[in-house]
Amino acid sequence: MENTQYPFINTPLPYAYDALEPYIDEKTMHLHHDRHLMTYIENLNSILEKTPALQRLSLEQLLRGLPRLPLALQTQIRNNAGGVYNHRFYFEGLGRPSAPSEELEALLTHSFGSMTDFQAHLKTVALSVFGSGYAWLVRVHGRLAIITTPNQNTPIERGMTPLLNIDVWEHAYYLKHYNLRADYFDDWWQVINWDVILQRYTL
Ligand code: MN
């Protein structure tokens, strides 16, 4: 469901709350989508309600245009529009266990050596995020790269095209994995929707 402009609504997950079991548990999905994402949506709407000039901008336009916004608004928009963007991107990139197509595997192998090397590199980077944030696979200057963002910052404000993200805020995994981010990464890896990742690359 497309909802790219004010007023923002919490569009449903593209699968059932328990679809990612046993890798990501149903309760975490409920809390993550219905409460954490919902809070970013409510905060973003409340900022935009007071800023009519920005109401016609899409989520991506808000984030790409951050440097041109009044300084006082930049942090609020980065945190809350970023929170909506990053969570939708994360949820939409997951699904029932699948395997990457030959085309995607060739792209990743070309950039990282092998799928195993890609997985290991992404895991190392995801574990390296201090505090809250994300690890990402992005396309930048025609190449694939793995990067991190703190808090709810996004790669799009840095001019990159995101392809895949893992939310490493503790709320994404604490109920099932406690403080074990590495175990969460291994489970998350099982439910990546590789078809969506390739679509994002080819768009
Ligand atoms: Mn989150």
Side-chain angles (χ1 to χ4, degrees):
M1 188 189 297
E2 291 293 309
N3 166 237
T4 59
Q5 276 180 308
Y6 177 86
F8 289 94
I9 57 164
N10 200 1
T11 53
L13 291 171
Y15 39 72
Y17 288 96
D18 63 357
L20 309 181
E21 291 271 8
Y23 304 104
I24 300 180
D25 60 291
E26 181 178 2
K27 185 162 190 188
T28 294
M29 293 301 290
H30 266 290
L31 294 172
H32 204 174
H33 177 271
D34 303 352
R35 297 195 188 202
H36 290 279
L37 171 52
M38 189 65 191
T39 300
Y40 290 110
I41 286 174
E42 287 170 351
N43 289 343
L44 180 58
N45 282 336
S46 123
I47 296 162
L48 294 175
E49 190 182 356
K50 294 175 233 141
T51 325
L54 300 182
Q55 288 175 4
R56 278 177 301 169
L57 297 180
S58 72
L59 204 49
E60 293 202 20
Q61 286 170 332
L62 284 168
L63 291 164
R64 283 210 185 87
L66 272 176
R68 295 186 293 279
L69 294 183
L71 208 53
L73 274 175
Q74 284 184 20
T75 302
Q76 293 180 62
I77 296 278
R78 177 179 290 110
N79 289 344
N80 292 292
V84 177
Y85 181 88
N86 290 340
H87 280 102
R88 286 179 170 180
F89 198 88
Y90 170 78
F91 291 132
E92 286 163 9
L94 300 177
R96 295 301 306 159
S98 64
S101 64
E102 278 182 27
E103 183 186 0
L104 183 57
E105 191 162 338
L107 283 166
L108 293 167
T109 298
H110 178 72
S111 297
F112 301 103
S114 68
M115 280 302 290
T116 308
D117 289 331
F118 166 62
Q119 181 181 358
H121 184 186
L122 183 58
K123 183 172 180 174
T124 301
V125 170
L127 297 184
S128 80
V129 176
F130 182 76
S132 297
Y134 295 78
W136 302 79
L137 173 69
V138 297
R139 192 174 59 192
V140 54
H141 305 309
R143 296 184 175 195
L144 297 184
I146 293 172
I147 65 148
T148 67
T149 53
N151 305 312
Q152 294 297 353
N153 293 28
T154 68
I156 59 177
E157 69 173 279
R158 292 156 65 181
M160 301 169 171
T161 302
L163 305 176
L164 171 67
N165 68 348
I166 176 169
D167 183 344
V168 296
W169 286 59
E170 275 191 344
H171 66 235
Y173 59 92
Y174 199 84
L175 285 183
K176 176 175 164 65
H177 301 92
Y178 305 112
N179 59 331
L180 303 175
R181 190 186 288 178
D183 290 359
Y184 160 62
F185 179 94
D186 294 341
D187 274 345
W188 166 83
W189 177 265
Q190 299 299 319
V191 289
I192 295 171
N193 187 332
W194 296 104
D195 289 344
V196 169
I197 311 316
L198 184 60
Q199 280 165 28
R200 289 167 175 168
Y201 179 83
T202 47
L203 277 179

